[in-house]
Amino acid sequence: MAEVLGHFRRALPSVPATIETDVNAAAAAELFLNHPQKKSCAYITVGTGIGVGLMVDSKPVHGLLHPEMGHIYVPIQEGDTIEGTCPYHGRCAEGLASAAAVARRAGVPPPAL
């Protein structure tokens, strides 16, 4: 990864460059371009999984790689027997609301959504 970044820094020395996760990059763009008066935001994407990009004090928040907020526990309605699609946590937000989970609940393949 450092060599990719180094290539861009050498080729375009006057342009700031960094490598970031897709969802943190979207959060930064939302914050800086659409809400420049703010310093913090959370940007949520829902698709194959659930991703959350966090900007706090105008800086991206990272975990080991990035926060896995799509895997937070979500209580379900009593009597709901749906099994989540997340192979790690089952009924986390991603396991219950990602495209695969919605498709399973609807009884259709994900492309049909």
Side-chain angles (χ1 to χ4, degrees):
M1 182 162 49
E3 185 49 39
V4 170
L5 187 55
H7 171 78
F8 284 103
R9 288 183 172 160
R10 286 188 300 278
L12 305 164
S14 63
V15 177
T18 189
I19 294 178
E20 189 52 80
T21 63
D22 57 346
V23 72
N24 269 354
E30 181 68 27
L31 184 66
F32 299 140
L33 299 177
N34 295 327
H35 305 282
Q37 72 284 8
K38 303 287 185 183
K39 299 233 180 256
S40 301
C41 79
Y43 187 92
I44 302 169
T45 63
V46 180
T48 305
I50 293 182
V52 180
L54 275 182
M55 299 291 292
V56 176
D57 292 329
S58 300
K59 295 178 187 150
V61 174
H62 299 106
L64 176 60
L65 296 173
H66 62 278
E68 290 285 352
M69 288 178 275
H71 294 287
I72 61 172
Y73 170 75
V74 177
I76 61 170
Q77 186 173 5
E78 188 176 324
D80 191 346
T81 60
I82 189 81
E83 289 298 322
T85 60
C86 176
Y88 306 106
H89 309 104
R91 292 180 172 176
C92 62
E94 186 169 305
L96 294 172
S98 65
V102 172
R104 179 186 285 178
R105 186 177 283 267
V108 299
L113 292 177

